[in-house]
């Protein structure tokens, strides 16, 4: 398995478009949506080849030139999966993540997997931006929303992750050994007396939710030395439900974040039926961060490129737009 180098260079598939002219782009989009029936290909080609920063400028130009809201016009021209993808690309990243979190908590059932995927993988700066965007868009704090929609230990994990207070420093060997000891106790001796168990669980949660990535990598190594087991494997064996899923996601993200997303993408397309929501969410949110790294992990693990997987599993304009975001065949 490819190990991410410490401070591995993450690379997205979408970058600033050279020779960019927001007015020209706004005019092209206006023309593509004018009259009866829109030129979907022109729309998706333009939007998938601009960076998010550039798309925001095109939005501004569109408003100044035509006195209209580009998002609203796109919404009325596009539908279904394509609309979800294109409108997602048009949103500033923090507002997009905030919307995905909101959607995951809406309606009857909570989409715990989406909550975990977003909150367990974002950096402190990203989490802080999401908190601001959430408040701005929904007039409620993210913490309040999570509190009213989840419960118990799972709620505490999510709220801890949503504070964006993960340490930023390197590893501390002595502390890593102590942290590994806590992990070993909670994971190996699941039958400690109940009072003790709760405080151990809280300590374990604190370790996973607040220690820096380099420090946690050291903790996982110390854990193996101490127990001869892999921490991820042990969590899967000893824990259950949403708490287990959240802890596993954190561990996988610490070990190799692009691989974590590659696995998610693979699962969204595996078997009968596609999970378009997950597929879209990851493609949109990672497009400018580490999608090239995700592609590399994908082809290495599954012996087919992400490009091939998308081709085999989606169709029409949605397929074309996804491939444009994917940015090439491996």
């Amino acid at each position: 398995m490819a190990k991410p180098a410490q401070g591995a260079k993450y690379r997205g598939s979408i970058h600033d478009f050279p020779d960019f002219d927001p007015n020209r782009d706004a005019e092209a989009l206006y023309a593509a949506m004018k009259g009866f029936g829109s030129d979907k290909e022109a729309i998706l080609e333009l939007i998938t080849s601009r960076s998010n920063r550039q798309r925001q400028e095109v939005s501004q130009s569109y408003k100044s030139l035509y006195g209209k809201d580009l998002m609203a016009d796109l919404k009325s021209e596009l539908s279904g999966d394509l609309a979800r993808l294109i409108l997602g690309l048009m949103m500033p990243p923090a507002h997009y993540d905030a919307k995905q979190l909101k959607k995951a908590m809406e309606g009857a059932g909570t989409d715990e997997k989406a909550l975990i995927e977003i909150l367990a993988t974002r950096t402190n700066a990203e989490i802080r931006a999401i908190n601001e965007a959430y408040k701005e868009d929904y007039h409620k704090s993210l913490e309040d929303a999570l509190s009213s929609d989840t419960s118990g230990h799972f709620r505490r994990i999510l709220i801890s992750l949503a504070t964006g207070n993960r340490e930023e420093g390197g590893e501390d060997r002595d502390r890593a050994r102590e942290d590994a000891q806590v992990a070993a106790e909670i994971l190996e001796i699941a039958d400690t007396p109940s009072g003790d168990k709760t405080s151990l669980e809280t300590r374990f949660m604190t370790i996973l939710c607040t220690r820096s990535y380099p420090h946690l990598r050291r903790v996982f190594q110390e854990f193996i030395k101490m127990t001869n087991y892999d921490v991820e494997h042990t969590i899967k064996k000893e824990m259950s439900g949403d708490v287990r899923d959240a802890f596993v996601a954190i561990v996988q993200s610490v070990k190799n974040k692009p691989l974590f997303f590659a696995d998610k993408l693979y699962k969204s397309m595996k078997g009968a039926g596609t999970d378009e929501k997950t597929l879209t969410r990851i493609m949109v949110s990672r497009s400018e961060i580490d999608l090239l790294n995700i592609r590399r992990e994908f082809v290495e693990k599954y012996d087919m490129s992400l490009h091939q997987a998308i081709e085999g599993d989606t169709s029409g304009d949605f397929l074309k737009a996804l491939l444009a975001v994917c940015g090439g065949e491996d």
Side-chain angles (χ1 to χ4, degrees):
M1 192 183 96
K3 284 271 176 287
Q6 240 62 347
K9 250 342 256 160
Y10 287 151
R11 289 168 58 227
S13 58
I14 293 180
H15 311 282
D16 279 346
F17 185 75
D19 187 29
F20 169 64
D21 178 346
N23 286 339
R24 191 176 58 208
D25 284 354
E27 285 161 8
L29 286 172
Y30 185 74
M33 292 190 280
K34 219 170 63 192
F36 186 71
S38 55
D39 182 350
K40 290 193 180 64
E41 288 216 6
I43 294 170
L44 73 85
E45 194 175 303
L46 193 144
I47 288 172
T48 57
S49 60
R50 305 300 185 265
S51 67
N52 193 281
R53 186 184 62 77
Q54 291 174 330
R55 291 179 207 126
Q56 306 313 319
E57 287 187 44
V58 174
S59 241
Q60 295 293 130
S61 292
Y62 194 87
K63 187 156 254 171
S64 347
L65 290 171
Y66 305 107
K68 298 175 81 176
D69 182 346
L70 178 55
M71 284 288 270
D73 281 2
L74 287 167
K75 207 174 267 184
S76 64
E77 295 291 334
L78 308 171
S79 60
D81 294 322
L82 178 67
R84 205 182 284 132
L85 181 73
I86 295 296
L87 292 168
L89 289 168
M90 287 301 303
M91 294 181 79
H95 290 268
Y96 180 73
D97 279 347
K99 185 178 185 185
Q100 299 311 305
L101 290 168
K102 173 90 160 56
K103 277 186 154 155
M105 294 183 274
E106 263 168 8
T110 304
D111 181 351
E112 290 86 1
K113 287 197 167 23
L115 294 177
I116 292 167
E117 174 208 303
I118 296 169
L119 293 172
T121 58
R122 302 308 190 250
T123 63
N124 284 341
E126 286 165 345
I127 294 270
R128 288 196 271 270
I130 292 167
N131 275 296
E132 280 174 34
Y134 200 95
K135 192 139 199 142
E136 191 182 316
D137 296 344
Y138 308 112
H139 311 292
K140 182 180 190 176
S141 76
L142 175 57
E143 186 179 323
D144 286 347
L146 289 167
S147 284
S148 51
D149 204 70
T150 56
S151 60
H153 206 58
F154 181 56
R155 172 204 284 169
R156 288 166 57 205
I157 295 164
L158 293 180
I159 288 176
S160 178
L161 291 170
T163 54
N165 270 336
R166 190 175 286 288
E167 293 162 4
E168 305 266 9
E171 57 182 72
D172 170 341
R173 288 203 170 198
D174 294 335
R175 192 169 171 220
R177 274 192 285 275
E178 286 165 28
D179 289 347
Q181 184 62 48
V182 171
E185 280 176 42
I186 186 96
L187 293 171
E188 293 294 306
I189 328 165
D191 50 24
T192 43
S194 58
D196 193 12
K197 176 111 193 291
T198 320
S199 70
L200 264 178
E201 273 190 355
T202 305
R203 282 176 69 193
F204 187 53
M205 179 189 90
T206 304
I207 290 163
L208 285 181
C209 294
T210 66
R211 303 288 197 258
S212 73
Y213 272 30
H215 180 81
L216 283 171
R217 285 189 198 111
R218 169 64 59 195
V219 173
F220 302 159
Q221 287 165 5
E222 294 293 339
F223 183 86
I224 292 174
K225 274 190 217 160
M226 223 171 257
T227 65
N228 284 327
Y229 289 112
D230 172 68
V231 77
E232 180 185 337
H233 178 77
T234 315
I235 291 171
K236 284 176 177 167
K237 201 166 113 273
E238 297 294 337
M239 296 185 146
S240 63
D242 296 330
V243 170
R244 179 190 70 176
D245 292 347
F247 284 159
V248 166
I250 295 168
V251 172
Q252 289 175 338
S253 180
V254 168
K255 283 182 176 175
N256 184 338
K257 200 179 283 189
L259 179 60
F260 169 80
F261 284 117
D263 287 339
K264 288 258 179 241
L265 285 170
Y266 180 75
K267 287 192 188 100
S268 76
M269 294 182 276
K270 197 179 83 180
T274 308
D275 175 359
E276 291 89 358
K277 284 187 176 142
T278 300
L279 175 57
T280 300
R281 186 175 59 239
I282 295 175
M283 294 297 284
V284 169
S285 63
R286 308 317 290 180
S287 60
E288 290 184 42
I289 299 175
D290 54 3
L291 196 55
L292 291 186
N293 308 72
I294 292 167
R295 269 171 40 185
R296 202 165 53 235
E297 296 293 348
F298 194 98
V299 73
E300 210 167 285
K301 180 161 179 182
Y302 297 109
D303 252 356
M304 67 159 129
S305 67
L306 179 55
H307 192 282
Q308 283 168 310
I310 291 168
E311 262 182 333
D313 210 68
T314 58
S315 61
D317 291 321
F318 181 51
L319 163 67
K320 286 181 194 147
L322 282 171
L323 290 182
V325 174
C326 181
E329 171 74 274
D330 293 296

